[in-house]
Amino acid sequence: MKFKEFFVKRHVYFYGGICLAANALAVLSSNLTSFPMPDSRPILLWSEFLEERKFLITALSVFCYAFPCVLCFLYAVKALKYTIEDDEYKAIMVHMPGAFALRGITGWICNFVLEVIFLFRFKSFYGCEISFILISSLASYILLSMFSFTLIYFTLETLNRNLVLPSLYPDGMISSTKRTFLASIKSVFFFYFFSASLFPATFLGIRLFFTKYFHLEIPSYYDFVFMSILLFMAAALTVLISRYFQVPLKKLADGAEEISKGNYEERAVICSNDEMGALGDAFNQMAASLKEKEFMRDTFGKIVTPQIRDYLLTKSVALGGETLEVTVMFCDIRGFTTLSEKMAPEKIVALLNEYFTGLEKCVARHGGVINKYIGDAIMVLFGAPIPSATHASDALAAALEMRETLSGMNKGWKERGLPEIRFGIGLHSGQVLAGNIGAANRMEYTVIGDTVNTASRIEGLCKLYKKDLLVSQGAADLIQAQKAARTETAGKTETAAAALPALTFVADAEIRGRKEKVRVFTIA
């Protein structure tokens, strides 16, 4: 079994052993933290008082150091009635380092309380001054408690973050667990200040004062060893606390870099119950939200064209629009009703999807936007939503490429035993109102105006004149003007576009709803 798996399953025993080891180290260092005692009558009497009650004091001391072990055991036992999936179990594990550390110093607190009781008993017997003994004991016990708490808490917290909590929270999100409270980074730094600076300095100051006051001498190595311990503890705390921030920040930085590359699956798993953990949870929620929004954006781009999608996402979505000069294309399949009667619905859908995919690529290459799918027909815009100075010639170039593409698709369909498709295309240029049309709670981007109606009617004339492409006079005039403009700028600011074939006059057509006839052209 790997050590990590073994540790996670037996971590309570390891934690208990660390608590005992920390208190043992504190006991070993107690001689270094004790104040030098003057050879005065109260001190001698106090030593005799303790010696006479040596067995009782030893028994009480054993009880004081067994008491924290019992408290830690009872806290750990609470977890046994829950499964590892329960929030209560996870909350116990999250808070275990602090709970064990607080319980681990109760022995020193009990010892100090008992010592105070004995001191007042001693004073009542002998009537001696006990202030020096009381102050020295208080300073020693505070420093030893801080020493034990620091060792226990930061050791267990480090093990918890790196081994236990990642197994319980593989996705992070500790802050979302019920019954957990967030620790404060500020409190960690305050504790660091107290344990590594304030209390050691205060302790040394008090000991120096009493040493000078009573004219005492202590072995020189005491302070050297004691300061070495303090420096080691401060250095260890500095490394641990820096890693508490360095590791999560690196995870966040790496996650942000992956998200900037479009990898929205990236997660920064930070297993801590402080602000860094909450920040990691917020980061993961943001990544999930971005993933959802990107999915919606991609889906939206399949329902409408990417150009219209981007227009709607960047503009204020409200009813109304703007007047633009555009070229509108209508493209309709000939004999689609007869075709549908001869084929199964699923085959018709598959054929239409292949057909529309081929036409959409031609339209997109020339800056067009498929605005609507109307059964077997499409309505295409050139010059909206993004205005274009070459919308008419772009529309004609797209129509010619659509013709070639359809010819290629028909060859493939014939080889597969599928029917061939013929279409009719109508082009007309003019002004339209382009914008969001519909109800206040449901709208779509489209264009309306006489230009749209005329383009639709011209497409319908393809049946009458037996042509697959008809271009209105308005569109033809713009095409000629745009071709001339391209020729003049060729070699100066842009590469000359491929010359479009000349348009051939077809007829002066009557269009329903218009009094004047419309001249229509084609390209053979």
Side-chain angles (χ1 to χ4, degrees), residues 472-494:
S472 70
Q473 179 72 63
D477 292 342
L478 282 177
I479 291 169
Q480 291 301 120
Q482 291 164 12
K483 284 175 62 177
R486 286 183 175 181
T487 303
E488 290 177 2
T489 57
K492 295 181 182 179
T493 60
E494 63 180 64

PDB file of all heavy atoms in Angstrom, residues 472-494:
ATOM      1  N   SER A 472     -30.878  41.592 -59.886  1.00  0.00           N
ATOM      2  CA  SER A 472     -31.677  42.787 -60.185  1.00  0.00           C
ATOM      3  C   SER A 472     -30.797  43.897 -60.763  1.00  0.00           C
ATOM      4  O   SER A 472     -29.555  43.856 -60.667  1.00  0.00           O
ATOM      5  CB  SER A 472     -32.360  43.287 -58.920  1.00  0.00           C
ATOM      6  OG  SER A 472     -31.400  43.841 -58.035  1.00  0.00           O
ATOM      7  N   GLN A 473     -31.449  44.900 -61.348  1.00  0.00           N
ATOM      8  CA  GLN A 473     -30.725  46.040 -61.896  1.00  0.00           C
ATOM      9  C   GLN A 473     -29.938  46.770 -60.803  1.00  0.00           C
ATOM     10  O   GLN A 473     -28.789  47.171 -61.005  1.00  0.00           O
ATOM     11  CB  GLN A 473     -31.722  47.017 -62.547  1.00  0.00           C
ATOM     12  CG  GLN A 473     -31.072  48.278 -63.130  1.00  0.00           C
ATOM     13  CD  GLN A 473     -30.277  47.998 -64.396  1.00  0.00           C
ATOM     14  OE1 GLN A 473     -30.841  47.566 -65.400  1.00  0.00           O
ATOM     15  NE2 GLN A 473     -28.971  48.240 -64.347  1.00  0.00           N
ATOM     16  N   GLY A 474     -30.586  46.927 -59.623  1.00  0.00           N
ATOM     17  CA  GLY A 474     -29.887  47.609 -58.527  1.00  0.00           C
ATOM     18  C   GLY A 474     -28.620  46.889 -58.107  1.00  0.00           C
ATOM     19  O   GLY A 474     -27.576  47.519 -57.884  1.00  0.00           O
ATOM     20  N   ALA A 475     -28.693  45.574 -58.020  1.00  0.00           N
ATOM     21  CA  ALA A 475     -27.505  44.809 -57.654  1.00  0.00           C
ATOM     22  C   ALA A 475     -26.470  44.838 -58.766  1.00  0.00           C
ATOM     23  O   ALA A 475     -25.261  44.954 -58.521  1.00  0.00           O
ATOM     24  CB  ALA A 475     -27.890  43.367 -57.319  1.00  0.00           C
ATOM     25  N   ALA A 476     -26.929  44.762 -60.032  1.00  0.00           N
ATOM     26  CA  ALA A 476     -26.006  44.773 -61.173  1.00  0.00           C
ATOM     27  C   ALA A 476     -25.229  46.081 -61.239  1.00  0.00           C
ATOM     28  O   ALA A 476     -24.019  46.093 -61.514  1.00  0.00           O
ATOM     29  CB  ALA A 476     -26.775  44.533 -62.467  1.00  0.00           C
ATOM     30  N   ASP A 477     -25.905  47.222 -60.996  1.00  0.00           N
ATOM     31  CA  ASP A 477     -25.215  48.517 -61.018  1.00  0.00           C
ATOM     32  C   ASP A 477     -24.135  48.587 -59.942  1.00  0.00           C
ATOM     33  O   ASP A 477     -23.025  49.081 -60.187  1.00  0.00           O
ATOM     34  CB  ASP A 477     -26.222  49.646 -60.813  1.00  0.00           C
ATOM     35  CG  ASP A 477     -27.173  49.792 -61.998  1.00  0.00           C
ATOM     36  OD1 ASP A 477     -26.833  49.274 -63.087  1.00  0.00           O
ATOM     37  OD2 ASP A 477     -28.235  50.404 -61.834  1.00  0.00           O
ATOM     38  N   LEU A 478     -24.461  48.100 -58.759  1.00  0.00           N
ATOM     39  CA  LEU A 478     -23.466  48.107 -57.686  1.00  0.00           C
ATOM     40  C   LEU A 478     -22.296  47.180 -57.993  1.00  0.00           C
ATOM     41  O   LEU A 478     -21.146  47.494 -57.684  1.00  0.00           O
ATOM     42  CB  LEU A 478     -24.123  47.686 -56.367  1.00  0.00           C
ATOM     43  CG  LEU A 478     -24.967  48.743 -55.649  1.00  0.00           C
ATOM     44  CD1 LEU A 478     -25.613  48.147 -54.405  1.00  0.00           C
ATOM     45  CD2 LEU A 478     -24.119  49.939 -55.259  1.00  0.00           C
ATOM     46  N   ILE A 479     -22.583  46.036 -58.598  1.00  0.00           N
ATOM     47  CA  ILE A 479     -21.514  45.096 -58.951  1.00  0.00           C
ATOM     48  C   ILE A 479     -20.540  45.752 -59.918  1.00  0.00           C
ATOM     49  O   ILE A 479     -19.312  45.646 -59.775  1.00  0.00           O
ATOM     50  CB  ILE A 479     -22.108  43.804 -59.541  1.00  0.00           C
ATOM     51  CG1 ILE A 479     -22.839  43.021 -58.433  1.00  0.00           C
ATOM     52  CG2 ILE A 479     -21.019  42.944 -60.180  1.00  0.00           C
ATOM     53  CD1 ILE A 479     -23.675  41.881 -58.948  1.00  0.00           C
ATOM     54  N   GLN A 480     -21.084  46.430 -60.924  1.00  0.00           N
ATOM     55  CA  GLN A 480     -20.219  47.092 -61.894  1.00  0.00           C
ATOM     56  C   GLN A 480     -19.391  48.183 -61.221  1.00  0.00           C
ATOM     57  O   GLN A 480     -18.193  48.325 -61.489  1.00  0.00           O
ATOM     58  CB  GLN A 480     -21.064  47.704 -63.017  1.00  0.00           C
ATOM     59  CG  GLN A 480     -21.716  46.670 -63.928  1.00  0.00           C
ATOM     60  CD  GLN A 480     -20.669  45.771 -64.593  1.00  0.00           C
ATOM     61  OE1 GLN A 480     -20.675  44.547 -64.416  1.00  0.00           O
ATOM     62  NE2 GLN A 480     -19.757  46.375 -65.341  1.00  0.00           N
ATOM     63  N   ALA A 481     -20.012  48.973 -60.360  1.00  0.00           N
ATOM     64  CA  ALA A 481     -19.281  50.037 -59.668  1.00  0.00           C
ATOM     65  C   ALA A 481     -18.202  49.457 -58.746  1.00  0.00           C
ATOM     66  O   ALA A 481     -17.083  49.977 -58.671  1.00  0.00           O
ATOM     67  CB  ALA A 481     -20.264  50.889 -58.862  1.00  0.00           C
ATOM     68  N   GLN A 482     -18.516  48.364 -58.045  1.00  0.00           N
ATOM     69  CA  GLN A 482     -17.551  47.767 -57.135  1.00  0.00           C
ATOM     70  C   GLN A 482     -16.412  47.092 -57.887  1.00  0.00           C
ATOM     71  O   GLN A 482     -15.261  47.115 -57.442  1.00  0.00           O
ATOM     72  CB  GLN A 482     -18.268  46.783 -56.205  1.00  0.00           C
ATOM     73  CG  GLN A 482     -19.198  47.475 -55.218  1.00  0.00           C
ATOM     74  CD  GLN A 482     -20.191  46.544 -54.552  1.00  0.00           C
ATOM     75  OE1 GLN A 482     -20.069  45.325 -54.652  1.00  0.00           O
ATOM     76  NE2 GLN A 482     -21.177  47.123 -53.857  1.00  0.00           N
ATOM     77  N   LYS A 483     -16.709  46.528 -59.068  1.00  0.00           N
ATOM     78  CA  LYS A 483     -15.657  45.946 -59.898  1.00  0.00           C
ATOM     79  C   LYS A 483     -14.700  47.029 -60.367  1.00  0.00           C
ATOM     80  O   LYS A 483     -13.475  46.863 -60.357  1.00  0.00           O
ATOM     81  CB  LYS A 483     -16.263  45.221 -61.097  1.00  0.00           C
ATOM     82  CG  LYS A 483     -16.872  43.872 -60.761  1.00  0.00           C
ATOM     83  CD  LYS A 483     -17.563  43.252 -61.957  1.00  0.00           C
ATOM     84  CE  LYS A 483     -16.575  42.987 -63.081  1.00  0.00           C
ATOM     85  NZ  LYS A 483     -17.219  42.323 -64.226  1.00  0.00           N
ATOM     86  N   ALA A 484     -15.246  48.186 -60.754  1.00  0.00           N
ATOM     87  CA  ALA A 484     -14.405  49.287 -61.205  1.00  0.00           C
ATOM     88  C   ALA A 484     -13.524  49.805 -60.072  1.00  0.00           C
ATOM     89  O   ALA A 484     -12.341  50.104 -60.257  1.00  0.00           O
ATOM     90  CB  ALA A 484     -15.284  50.410 -61.756  1.00  0.00           C
ATOM     91  N   ALA A 485     -14.113  49.904 -58.889  1.00  0.00           N
ATOM     92  CA  ALA A 485     -13.335  50.384 -57.741  1.00  0.00           C
ATOM     93  C   ALA A 485     -12.211  49.424 -57.406  1.00  0.00           C
ATOM     94  O   ALA A 485     -11.095  49.833 -57.080  1.00  0.00           O
ATOM     95  CB  ALA A 485     -14.261  50.560 -56.536  1.00  0.00           C
ATOM     96  N   ARG A 486     -12.477  48.137 -57.506  1.00  0.00           N
ATOM     97  CA  ARG A 486     -11.425  47.147 -57.244  1.00  0.00           C
ATOM     98  C   ARG A 486     -10.304  47.241 -58.256  1.00  0.00           C
ATOM     99  O   ARG A 486      -9.127  47.130 -57.932  1.00  0.00           O
ATOM    100  CB  ARG A 486     -12.031  45.738 -57.256  1.00  0.00           C
ATOM    101  CG  ARG A 486     -12.867  45.401 -56.024  1.00  0.00           C
ATOM    102  CD  ARG A 486     -13.356  43.979 -56.085  1.00  0.00           C
ATOM    103  NE  ARG A 486     -14.057  43.613 -54.856  1.00  0.00           N
ATOM    104  CZ  ARG A 486     -14.564  42.408 -54.638  1.00  0.00           C
ATOM    105  NH1 ARG A 486     -14.447  41.474 -55.562  1.00  0.00           N
ATOM    106  NH2 ARG A 486     -15.181  42.135 -53.502  1.00  0.00           N
ATOM    107  N   THR A 487     -10.662  47.457 -59.512  1.00  0.00           N
ATOM    108  CA  THR A 487      -9.650  47.534 -60.557  1.00  0.00           C
ATOM    109  C   THR A 487      -8.742  48.742 -60.334  1.00  0.00           C
ATOM    110  O   THR A 487      -7.521  48.676 -60.527  1.00  0.00           O
ATOM    111  CB  THR A 487     -10.310  47.624 -61.938  1.00  0.00           C
ATOM    112  OG1 THR A 487     -11.162  46.503 -62.109  1.00  0.00           O
ATOM    113  CG2 THR A 487      -9.266  47.643 -63.040  1.00  0.00           C
ATOM    114  N   GLU A 488      -9.308  49.888 -59.909  1.00  0.00           N
ATOM    115  CA  GLU A 488      -8.522  51.092 -59.687  1.00  0.00           C
ATOM    116  C   GLU A 488      -7.548  50.934 -58.532  1.00  0.00           C
ATOM    117  O   GLU A 488      -6.437  51.464 -58.565  1.00  0.00           O
ATOM    118  CB  GLU A 488      -9.460  52.269 -59.401  1.00  0.00           C
ATOM    119  CG  GLU A 488     -10.260  52.718 -60.618  1.00  0.00           C
ATOM    120  CD  GLU A 488     -11.229  53.829 -60.278  1.00  0.00           C
ATOM    121  OE1 GLU A 488     -11.220  54.261 -59.094  1.00  0.00           O
ATOM    122  OE2 GLU A 488     -11.988  54.257 -61.156  1.00  0.00           O
ATOM    123  N   THR A 489      -7.964  50.208 -57.482  1.00  0.00           N
ATOM    124  CA  THR A 489      -7.102  50.072 -56.298  1.00  0.00           C
ATOM    125  C   THR A 489      -6.155  48.885 -56.381  1.00  0.00           C
ATOM    126  O   THR A 489      -5.292  48.728 -55.522  1.00  0.00           O
ATOM    127  CB  THR A 489      -7.964  49.905 -55.038  1.00  0.00           C
ATOM    128  OG1 THR A 489      -8.825  48.778 -55.197  1.00  0.00           O
ATOM    129  CG2 THR A 489      -8.808  51.145 -54.803  1.00  0.00           C
ATOM    130  N   ALA A 490      -6.309  48.047 -57.412  1.00  0.00           N
ATOM    131  CA  ALA A 490      -5.450  46.863 -57.526  1.00  0.00           C
ATOM    132  C   ALA A 490      -3.996  47.292 -57.653  1.00  0.00           C
ATOM    133  O   ALA A 490      -3.646  48.172 -58.415  1.00  0.00           O
ATOM    134  CB  ALA A 490      -5.851  46.041 -58.745  1.00  0.00           C
ATOM    135  N   GLY A 491      -3.118  46.650 -56.885  1.00  0.00           N
ATOM    136  CA  GLY A 491      -1.701  46.960 -56.945  1.00  0.00           C
ATOM    137  C   GLY A 491      -1.313  48.122 -56.060  1.00  0.00           C
ATOM    138  O   GLY A 491      -0.136  48.447 -55.943  1.00  0.00           O
ATOM    139  N   LYS A 492      -2.289  48.816 -55.444  1.00  0.00           N
ATOM    140  CA  LYS A 492      -1.974  49.939 -54.575  1.00  0.00           C
ATOM    141  C   LYS A 492      -2.188  49.560 -53.108  1.00  0.00           C
ATOM    142  O   LYS A 492      -1.251  49.569 -52.315  1.00  0.00           O
ATOM    143  CB  LYS A 492      -2.856  51.145 -54.932  1.00  0.00           C
ATOM    144  CG  LYS A 492      -2.593  51.688 -56.334  1.00  0.00           C
ATOM    145  CD  LYS A 492      -3.480  52.875 -56.617  1.00  0.00           C
ATOM    146  CE  LYS A 492      -3.265  53.420 -58.037  1.00  0.00           C
ATOM    147  NZ  LYS A 492      -4.149  54.567 -58.321  1.00  0.00           N
ATOM    148  N   THR A 493      -3.390  49.263 -52.792  1.00  0.00           N
ATOM    149  CA  THR A 493      -3.685  48.957 -51.385  1.00  0.00           C
ATOM    150  C   THR A 493      -4.176  47.536 -51.171  1.00  0.00           C
ATOM    151  O   THR A 493      -4.266  47.096 -50.045  1.00  0.00           O
ATOM    152  CB  THR A 493      -4.751  49.929 -50.847  1.00  0.00           C
ATOM    153  OG1 THR A 493      -5.937  49.790 -51.628  1.00  0.00           O
ATOM    154  CG2 THR A 493      -4.251  51.352 -50.919  1.00  0.00           C
ATOM    155  N   GLU A 494      -4.561  46.810 -52.192  1.00  0.00           N
ATOM    156  CA  GLU A 494      -5.065  45.454 -52.005  1.00  0.00           C
ATOM    157  C   GLU A 494      -4.834  44.664 -53.280  1.00  0.00           C
ATOM    158  O   GLU A 494      -4.579  45.208 -54.355  1.00  0.00           O
ATOM    159  CB  GLU A 494      -6.562  45.476 -51.655  1.00  0.00           C
ATOM    160  CG  GLU A 494      -7.432  46.061 -52.763  1.00  0.00           C
ATOM    161  CD  GLU A 494      -8.904  46.068 -52.389  1.00  0.00           C
ATOM    162  OE1 GLU A 494      -9.241  46.771 -51.442  1.00  0.00           O
ATOM    163  OE2 GLU A 494      -9.680  45.374 -53.069  1.00  0.00           O
TER     164      GLU A 494
END
